[in-house]
Amino acid sequence: MKQNAKWKQHALIRVLANNRGNPRTLIFIEPLWGIPYNLIAPFATLYMYTLGVTDVQIGLILSVTMAVQVVIAFWGGILTDKLGRKFTTMLGDFFGWAIACLVWAVSQNFWMFLIAAVLNCFEQVNQTAWFCLLIEDADPADLVEIYTWVTIGGLVAVFFAPLSGLFVSAYSMVPVVRVLYFLFALTMTAKTLITFRFCHETGQGRIRRQQTKGVSPLRMLAEYRHLIPGLLRSPGLLKAVAVSVIFYITNMVNNTFFSLYVTQRLGLSENFLAVFPILNAVVMLVFMVGVQHRLRFSQFRLPLWLGLALYGAGTLVLILAPLNGLGAVLTYVLLCAVGAALVNPRKDALLQLNLDAQERARMNALIIASTVALSCPFGYFAGWLSSLDRRLPFAFSLVLFAVAALVVSRVREPGPGGQTE
């Protein structure tokens, strides 16, 4: 009985019990995205490479799609206000994931992969709406725990990830990944239907939908020029955006070129690619459930610093890894898993705490568009670095982690109103 009472007092359990409605529904259905995504992610780049897409073309796909994402992200804020958070989330899930995955499943060359990646850009519409749907009716004090639950939901794939490695070993990679993409399309269709049935429009969403009724989309697009000065005048928001941009770039670079690095340079078997996400997920789950709630004494700056240090140490170990250095790669995965558990929920919560609730949708869209725009050149740049030496993209990430540490040193903990400076 005492053990049950203790678990009920756990910060994560308490937040899940107190935040009914949208937060709980979205947390519970997150595995419908997280399971297939994490099953495919270790093989996605190698899948393209095996079908004849070169390192430079992979980087070009990243840069082209990021340019498209910038445009779509701007419209995402407008659609979120005019159509509502719920309906816009459904549009992004269906067109940005379900339809895109069907194209990925049948892709055979550079152009088909590019088309699939461009379709996936519609997920940027979902990004703005989904964040609003998740947190607008929630207690701001619970944001770190809510984002922690979202991360945990995505990590449920740990229980299924061995299947992709087993199937790749038995049937070869390309046919297995094609089937996984088909399954991904089905799960995202199911996620869209569940959102329609069990989620509701937020209070702020209803207000914004009424306020923008009769306002043309072009006029709303032009109003972004009034939001930009507000972004530039907020030191706390600028710091949060800077951290988000850096992690967007490093995640893009590391996730895209990790599989090529460990298989083509270090000589590890592609079968190991399914093991690394398992280890990453186990470490993150243990840390988030057992340690995360004990760090409330220093909500942002110290955990972010520690996470960056772990990211940097892991990346350095990977760069210096010897041929067939499985131990070094495992160390990299362990260090980065703890780093991600510390950084991911806090960088997202830090961003939302600094946003004006009245303009959350369009400010989120503006920030997403800015993040993607600033990151855009680095996809091609990382592909070029990888073509010279597959260690170089990770050396570039190491530099960015050092820059992020400088930014975090200027972050202050949230005050009584929730905002930082």
Side-chain angles (χ1 to χ4, degrees):
M1 294 292 291
K2 290 183 178 180
Q3 190 68 21
N4 289 336
K6 184 177 180 180
W7 269 105
K8 289 179 180 178
Q9 294 173 3
H10 193 290
L12 288 174
I13 303 300
R14 175 186 55 78
V15 166
L16 196 60
N18 293 345
N19 288 274
R20 301 175 184 274
N22 292 341
R24 184 187 290 187
T25 299
L26 294 177
I27 286 168
F28 281 161
I29 66 175
E30 187 65 9
L32 292 174
W33 174 84
I35 290 173
Y37 177 83
N38 285 288
L39 286 172
I40 292 171
F43 301 100
T45 303
L46 205 56
Y47 174 61
M48 289 191 286
Y49 186 78
T50 303
L51 289 169
V53 184
T54 66
D55 290 52
V56 173
Q57 286 176 327
I58 291 169
L60 181 60
I61 288 173
L62 286 174
S63 289
V64 170
T65 53
M66 281 191 288
V68 177
Q69 286 172 9
V70 172
V71 177
I72 293 177
F74 274 114
W75 287 102
I78 295 169
L79 290 174
T80 299
D81 279 343
K82 288 192 72 67
L83 301 180
R85 278 72 165 134
K86 174 181 171 179
F87 187 68
T88 309
T89 296
M90 293 166 56
L91 286 178
D93 278 342
F94 185 72
F95 290 102
W97 285 108
I99 301 301
C101 286
L102 286 177
V103 178
W104 266 317
V106 298
S107 292
Q108 299 180 22
N109 54 47
F110 166 78
W111 294 107
M112 295 185 73
F113 279 112
L114 181 62
I115 291 170
V118 169
L119 281 169
N120 186 235
C121 293
F122 286 94
E123 186 261 349
Q124 292 298 320
V125 171
N126 169 289
Q127 283 290 316
T128 298
W130 185 86
F131 274 120
C132 293
L133 192 64
L134 175 70
I135 58 96
E136 280 187 337
D137 289 342
D139 185 343
D142 293 336
L143 287 187
V144 170
E145 283 78 16
I146 288 173
Y147 283 119
T148 297
W149 268 117
V150 171
T151 304
I152 290 172
L155 293 174
V156 172
V158 65
F159 302 108
F160 301 88
L163 294 175
S164 59
L166 291 174
F167 284 127
V168 165
S169 179
Y171 299 104
S172 80
M173 183 182 57
V174 171
V176 169
V177 174
R178 290 197 191 281
V179 171
L180 289 175
Y181 272 124
F182 274 120
L183 292 176
F184 202 172
L186 291 176
T187 62
M188 291 308 294
T189 301
K191 186 172 182 286
T192 302
L193 295 174
I194 294 171
T195 301
F196 173 75
R197 174 65 179 83
F198 293 102
C199 287
H200 61 268
E201 186 56 64
T202 67
Q204 186 61 37
R206 289 191 293 271
I207 292 171
R208 288 299 293 159
R209 197 163 54 184
Q210 184 63 33
Q211 289 175 338
T212 58
K213 187 177 181 179
V215 181
S216 73
L218 289 177
R219 179 182 169 185
M220 292 181 68
L221 185 65
E223 289 175 354
Y224 272 115
R225 70 181 185 274
H226 301 303
L227 299 178
I228 295 173
L231 170 62
L232 298 177
R233 285 196 299 265
S234 172
L237 190 53
L238 281 176
K239 294 166 192 172
V241 170
V243 173
S244 293
V245 170
I246 290 171
F247 274 95
Y248 188 95
I249 295 170
T250 54
N251 285 337
M252 172 191 67
V253 171
N254 292 0
N255 293 341
T256 300
F257 294 100
F258 174 77
S259 61
L260 286 179
Y261 179 74
V262 299
T263 57
Q264 304 299 310
R265 179 178 176 82
L266 299 186
L268 298 182
S269 169
E270 64 184 31
N271 294 330
F272 283 117
L273 296 178
V275 175
F276 300 136
I278 301 171
L279 179 61
N280 176 78
V282 168
V283 173
M284 289 186 70
L285 284 169
V286 170
F287 188 88
M288 287 181 163
V289 173
V291 181
Q292 188 79 274
H293 63 287
R294 302 180 188 277
L295 299 176
R296 299 290 292 182
F297 69 90
S298 181
Q299 198 171 21
F300 289 101
R301 187 164 57 185
L302 184 58
L304 284 171
W305 260 344
L306 181 57
L308 284 164
L310 292 170
Y311 266 118
T315 303
L316 187 61
V317 169
L318 186 65
I319 292 170
L320 299 176
L323 293 178
N324 297 310
L326 179 60
V329 178
L330 292 175
T331 301
Y332 163 80
V333 173
L334 284 168
L335 292 173
C336 289
V338 178
L342 285 165
V343 170
N344 289 345
R346 285 172 177 79
K347 71 177 178 62
D348 291 336
L350 188 66
L351 194 60
Q352 297 304 317
L353 285 171
N354 282 281
L355 290 179
D356 176 12
Q358 177 71 13
E359 287 291 355
R360 178 173 276 114
R362 285 195 291 178
M363 285 297 287
N364 261 320
L366 176 62
I367 290 167
I368 291 170
S370 302
T371 299
V372 176
L374 292 170
S375 307
C376 188
F378 296 103
Y380 183 83
F381 178 65
W384 175 71
L385 288 177
S386 182
S387 69
L388 297 177
D389 188 323
R390 289 203 164 97
R391 293 171 296 185
L392 291 179
F394 301 96
F396 174 61
S397 291
L398 192 59
V399 173
L400 291 180
F401 289 137
V403 175
L406 293 176
V407 175
V408 168
S409 70
R410 308 287 294 177
V411 170
R412 295 187 181 181
E413 301 295 348
Q419 290 193 332
T420 61
E421 294 183 7

